[in-house]
């Protein structure tokens, strides 16, 4: 029975502390990518206002592919420079909150991986002791242990991949959130250098984050196979 207790504990940690946290991180990456696009747009509009006038009409804003849910009985509505500044300030605060959330959750993911490792080690030690004492064990147990070991090692590789993505996102938060690269210099740069743009990095990491991504080391079918294991066949 102790084998199945180890399995249930492993399954619980995997589902609650690893997969759920990973999904939350994916949502944060998407939010950061969207926020970086908005922050850049807002900062560019403020710059443009300084060069032109103090407000844009709603028609002009629509032409710039910016959607605002705003209505007025007076008909024509203007978005003032101060409105854009307030939106930018709000998005910057949200961006910092999302970044803090990523730091916290990637740490939680690392802790979950370590906990899975300890539970797996306890099972392996228990299995070794029983075999040394020539106890009969369920013939399905070796396959279960091999599956757990395989999933654990795949998760370790997946964690490392996502740690690298996280570092890219965290380290790319800089002034280029607000500043457009010089067009001439930009197109003279190598593709690698162009990809250092913080918006490009966030979008790329968002696209690569999912466990369904081609970059992932883990397959959903493998996870579901392990999560559906139980002791009824013991």
């Amino acid at each position: 029975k102790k084998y199945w207790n180890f399995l249930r504990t492993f399954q619980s940690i995997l589902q609650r502390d690893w997969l759920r946290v990973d999904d939350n991180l994916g949502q944060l990456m998407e939010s950061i990518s969207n926020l970086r696009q908005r922050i850049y747009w807002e900062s560019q509009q403020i710059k443009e206002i300084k060069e032109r006038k103090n407000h844009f009409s709603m028609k002009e804003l629509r032409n710039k592919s910016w959607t605002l849910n705003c209505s007025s009985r007076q008909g024509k509505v203007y978005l003032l420079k101060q409105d854009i500044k307030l939106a930018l300030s709000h998005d910057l605060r949200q961006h910092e909150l999302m970044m803090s959330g990523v730091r916290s959750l990637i740490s939680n993911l690392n802790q979950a991986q370590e906990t899975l490792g300890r539970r797996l080690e306890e099972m392996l030690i228990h299995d070794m002791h029983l075999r040394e004492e020539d106890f009969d064990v369920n013939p399905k147990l070796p396959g279960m242990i091999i599956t757990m070991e395989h999933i654990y090692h795949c998760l370790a590789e997946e964690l490392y991949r996502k740690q690298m993505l996280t570092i890219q996102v965290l380290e790319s938060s800089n002034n280029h959130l607000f500043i457009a690269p010089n067009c001439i210099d930009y197109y003279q740069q190598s593709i690698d250098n162009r990809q250092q743009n913080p918006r490009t990095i966030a979008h790329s990491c968002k696209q690569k984050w999912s466990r369904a991504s081609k970059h992932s080391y883990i397959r959903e079918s493998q996870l579901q196979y392990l999560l559906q294991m139980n002791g009824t066949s013991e």
Side-chain angles (χ1 to χ4, degrees):
K1 296 292 184 182
K2 197 167 184 179
Y3 279 102
W4 303 110
N5 290 335
F6 284 130
L7 173 63
R8 284 190 290 271
T9 302
F10 192 92
Q11 290 169 326
S12 176
I13 296 167
L14 172 60
Q15 194 156 33
R16 183 190 65 239
D17 300 334
W18 212 109
L19 301 180
R20 192 175 298 171
V21 169
D22 181 45
D23 290 339
N24 290 340
L25 275 164
Q27 293 171 4
L28 285 180
M29 289 295 175
E30 184 169 0
S31 295
I32 288 171
S33 178
N34 293 337
L35 282 167
R36 288 188 178 185
Q37 295 294 339
R38 297 215 308 259
I39 288 168
Y40 173 72
W41 186 92
E42 290 156 356
S43 63
Q44 292 306 299
Q45 300 317 302
I46 291 172
K47 180 182 177 182
E48 190 172 336
I49 289 174
K50 289 179 182 178
E51 296 171 354
R52 294 177 53 197
K53 55 184 182 179
N54 285 331
H55 52 71
F56 288 123
S57 68
M58 290 297 290
K59 182 178 180 181
E60 287 174 308
L61 285 166
R62 287 194 205 98
N63 290 338
K64 294 175 181 293
S65 301
W66 182 255
T67 303
L68 293 172
N69 295 320
C70 185
S71 61
S72 172
R73 293 179 182 177
Q74 298 175 353
K76 195 171 185 179
V77 179
Y78 289 94
L79 188 68
L80 302 176
K81 177 180 176 181
Q82 187 61 27
D83 297 326
I84 301 177
K85 280 188 172 181
L86 286 172
L88 176 59
S89 177
H90 174 268
D91 286 340
L92 285 170
R93 287 195 299 272
Q94 290 300 307
H95 183 265
E96 185 53 42
L97 285 173
M98 298 297 106
M99 297 281 277
S100 296
V102 167
R103 293 185 191 96
S104 176
L105 289 182
I106 199 67
S107 175
N108 292 346
L109 200 61
N110 184 64
Q111 291 175 10
Q113 183 69 20
E114 291 178 356
T115 304
L116 284 175
R118 287 194 293 271
R119 298 293 85 81
L120 179 60
E121 183 180 18
E122 288 171 359
M123 174 178 267
L124 291 172
I125 291 172
H126 177 69
D127 180 68
M128 181 182 68
H129 287 164
L130 290 183
R131 293 181 185 282
E132 286 177 348
E133 296 174 14
D134 292 328
F135 277 93
D136 290 332
V137 297
N138 189 307
K140 293 184 178 292
L141 292 177
M144 180 187 77
I145 294 173
I146 289 172
T147 299
M148 290 172 67
E149 284 185 291
H150 175 70
I151 292 294
Y152 173 78
H153 290 301
C154 288
L155 289 172
E157 289 185 287
E158 182 72 353
L159 173 61
Y160 178 76
R161 183 179 76 86
K162 292 183 173 180
Q163 286 172 333
M164 295 302 102
L165 293 176
T166 299
I167 289 171
Q168 289 180 44
V169 170
L170 296 178
E171 291 185 348
S172 64
S173 181
N174 52 46
N175 287 338
H176 289 294
L177 284 172
F178 315 99
I179 303 169
N182 180 282
C183 291
I184 297 175
D185 292 340
Y186 180 74
Y187 288 107
Q188 288 177 344
Q189 292 175 357
S190 67
I191 293 175
D192 288 342
N193 287 336
R194 291 183 204 175
Q195 292 174 343
Q196 297 312 304
N197 182 304
R199 293 175 300 286
T200 304
I201 289 172
H203 179 75
S204 174
C205 291
K206 176 192 76 171
Q207 296 292 97
K208 294 176 180 177
W209 192 272
S210 172
R211 295 188 300 275
S213 162
K214 66 179 182 180
H215 305 281
S216 178
Y217 288 98
I218 192 76
R219 295 291 172 263
E220 196 64 31
S221 58
Q222 296 173 330
L223 291 172
Q224 291 307 313
Y225 178 75
L226 175 63
L227 291 172
Q228 291 168 12
M229 279 184 174
N230 56 63
T232 58
S233 59
E234 184 180 15

